[in-house]
Amino acid sequence: MSTSTLAPSRQSPAARAVHTLLHSRELAIVIVLALLILVATARRNSFVLSADGWRDTLLAPSILLLLAVGQMVVVVTRNVDLSVGSTLGITAYVTGKIFVANPDTSVIVVFLAGLAVGAAIGAVNGLLVALFKVPALVITLGTMYVLRGALTHEVGSKRMNAQDYPAHFERLGTQQVLTIPVLTIIALVVVAAVGYYLHTARGGRELYAIGSDPDAADLYGLPATRRVFGAFVLCGALAGLAGVFSAARYATAFSGTGSGIELQAVAAVVIGGVAIFGGSGTVWGAAIGAFLLVTINRALPILGISEFWQGAVVGALIIGSIVLDRVLSIRRTHQLVEARDHA
Amino acid sequence: MSTLTPDAPQAERATRTYPSYSRNLLARLLLNREAAVILALVVVFVYAMGNVQYFDGPLTIYNLLKEYAPILLMALPMTLIIVTGEIDLSVASTLGASAAITGVLVVEHDLSVPTAALVAIAAGAALGALNGFFVAYVGLPSLAVTIGSLALYRGLAQGLIQDKRISGFPGDWRSWPTERIGDTQYPNIIIPIVVLAVVFGLLLHFTGFGRSIFEIGLSDEAAHFAGVNVARTKLILFTLSGAVAAFAGVYVALKANSVATDTGTGFELKVIAGVLLGGVSIFGGRGALHGVIAGVLLIAVLNSALQLDGQGSEVIQIIIGLLLVGSVIASNFLPRIRALLPRRAVADAATPKTPVNGDHTRKVAQ
């Protein structure tokens, strides 16, 4: 029996893929999300079936999607980044600044600027965390304060308004290709790229190794400092991109833009089945978690639950999904122990 | 307390809790995280007294304590929780929920303030116990659980208040917390704060329960095998955290004479910033309550001095952030600086280095 576990699986790749899918942690959230959308649509057709409803269903989660993906990469390394909300606020404002200086600036340039500013902030976080070996929770709590303070100092009670953003940029916020919003397409491309990297590339696999046992990764000679630094840079860059998205979608930026969204990003990651202590989880999970969080806020009033109880439902959902995660992991452990005992 | 802690365990505790007793007194006092925070507090306070206009006025201390009382309160149990290596992000939401309960009971149901306060505190203890149950008995990471309950408890407050604005608390109790003690600059709320600070200080530093908190922070498993009931200890701490946060909620409701759904939003990060600034290790196993009190007061004094100096709240935000980052990085280097300083030969010989002591020093150094 013991050799059979080492031999190649006798199942066909397709059967194995189906098996993996059916037993994946993400399937549970997908089902919850699908049920939510189905029931809400049954109650009110326009929830998804109208042009606006369809657009909102896809567009509304795009900002949180980017934040959740970046956060997931950091969480996999057993760290956390609380400064993403401040980063989002800063880049949304910088976007406005660029357009005020030159309304004809190309959208591509603005996107690159957002990515660059975010990456620079992420680099500072990453340097502090990776080089000084200090807890990310404390460092990014600190940089969250510093960045928000700096933004407030710069912006004060002023704000960037719709007239500060040129029309071609604002259109981007609602533009669609084949009825799919452009911003959503970009966000999904990011999800796919990061997911592919984490799943297949050596660097991506090393992030999991570092998160599941930092000491072992160190002893094995993995470049932990560089990888953790890279994860923070990526997270910052995506938060920067999310800032540009936010500016495009709402055509506004003020000192409080993005404040509090960092906890939503962490919540999306947690709901998506990414272990908060690193080493496991998928980008798809985090992305679906973000989708679910945003969609539930839109769906609850339709389901007849007063909007005042939304927060409570979201909280119960977060706790419910980590309990589910725990139950599944215990069951998996039991199965592994049984398999070993029978071997 | 002395009857409960005979000499022998006390000596043992001394070598376990503090890594380097083999130095002379001065080095020990100056190279200690708590001492550094207290020193910073004194320096900033004295500087502000001399250089910031109106800081030495009669209202400064009063306003500062009134404003930071809830943070100070919540920081006390938070210290114990972080020393065990856990964290409670839901305190500000618990505060909001208990403020909502107090408001609804007093204003809409005409309950007396003390009765409503007791109900709110009991509810807060229950919310804390729920966190504790998930962390201690279900074995979930506290960071994840309390992010969930942060949303859940805030949601309860919203559901309870909805879009109403609750205001108009009747009676003497409304003004009690903010009245001064005699002719001093101290508001009445300082009395329960001092009482709770003493209780939590004794609990953490002078009881077996406190020692088990440090042991859990150093290693859950080791503490378990040493006979500590890890789960029960964590449950108790989270319950206390909920109860104290609820008490702070009652205070905030009475102080503002109104309750809104966003009462206390963001306080959790201020509390955690104060605790970490006060020298508590986020990894657990290290910290002292007097350091935390100094840490919160340092933020409060900075805030007040900068406000009186005409600076906006964003400057204080930047300074808290820089302090937080700087203090973690500095405390990372502190053990290395310590290692460079000469040791006292006699004391070195007199104090045998136990393995526990050595282990602890290494853990702190990381």
Side-chain angles (χ1 to χ4, degrees), chain B residues 29-346:
Chain B
L29 284 180
L30 293 181
L31 285 172
N32 160 317
R33 190 56 209 278
E34 284 74 31
V37 186
I38 293 170
L39 189 71
L41 174 63
V42 171
V43 167
V44 171
F45 188 79
V46 169
Y47 178 84
M49 281 302 254
N51 294 282
V52 178
Q53 215 183 358
Y54 308 121
F55 187 83
D56 55 355
L59 279 174
T60 306
I61 303 283
Y62 170 74
N63 282 334
L64 174 159
L65 289 173
K66 220 174 68 171
E67 193 182 340
Y68 273 83
I71 310 289
L72 209 46
L73 279 169
M74 292 187 285
L76 302 174
M78 185 73 87
T79 304
L80 276 59
I81 287 180
I82 295 185
V83 168
T84 67
E86 303 288 349
I87 198 164
D88 184 356
L89 290 177
S90 71
V91 283
S93 295
T94 308
L95 182 153
S98 94
I101 292 171
T102 314
V104 168
L105 288 182
V106 171
V107 176
E108 293 185 356
H109 294 88
D110 289 326
L111 249 65
S112 76
V113 170
T115 318
L118 282 179
V119 174
I121 292 170
L127 296 182
L130 188 66
N131 283 334
F133 169 75
F134 281 125
V135 172
Y137 291 97
V138 187
L140 303 173
S142 55
L143 189 66
V145 169
T146 55
I147 282 179
S149 52
L150 173 122
L152 178 62
Y153 301 166
R154 179 65 60 192
L156 292 180
Q158 272 162 358
L160 216 53
I161 304 184
Q162 311 223 329
D163 53 356
K164 292 171 298 209
R165 203 180 141 266
I166 295 184
S167 62
F169 288 91
D172 296 339
W173 283 101
R174 191 183 86 200
S175 50
W176 183 84
T178 50
E179 274 166 13
R180 293 150 186 248
I181 308 172
D183 291 335
T184 61
Q185 288 201 28
Y186 304 106
N188 274 331
I189 187 65
I190 209 73
I191 297 171
I193 290 180
V194 169
V195 171
L196 284 175
V198 170
V199 168
F200 278 103
L202 290 175
L203 198 62
L204 182 63
H205 296 295
F206 296 96
T207 64
F209 184 76
R211 277 196 296 284
S212 64
I213 290 174
F214 281 102
E215 282 167 19
I216 292 170
L218 292 173
S219 167
D220 258 9
E221 278 182 35
H224 174 70
F225 285 118
V228 175
N229 191 333
V230 176
R232 196 185 62 196
T233 306
K234 287 183 180 174
L235 180 69
I236 292 172
L237 293 183
F238 275 95
T239 311
L240 284 174
S241 176
V244 173
F247 176 71
V250 175
Y251 166 75
V252 170
L254 293 178
K255 184 183 74 142
N257 192 20
S258 80
V259 182
T261 51
D262 63 347
T263 296
T265 316
F267 276 13
E268 65 278 346
L269 297 177
K270 280 188 181 172
V271 172
I272 292 164
V275 171
L276 298 179
L277 199 56
V280 178
S281 163
I282 191 84
F283 296 123
R286 202 216 167 277
L289 207 70
H290 60 280
V292 170
I293 294 169
V296 176
L297 287 178
L298 176 60
I299 296 177
V301 167
L302 273 172
N303 190 7
S304 161
L306 287 165
Q307 263 176 9
L308 288 169
D309 200 38
Q311 304 285 348
S313 61
E314 74 274 7
V315 177
I316 171 73
Q317 232 178 2
I318 295 176
I319 290 178
I320 296 177
L322 290 177
L323 264 178
L324 203 55
V325 172
S327 73
V328 216
I329 292 175
S331 69
N332 212 25
F333 284 118
L334 212 56
R336 291 182 211 175
I337 299 169
R338 244 192 229 126
L340 293 177
L341 291 175
R343 283 163 181 272
R344 247 187 354 180
V346 184

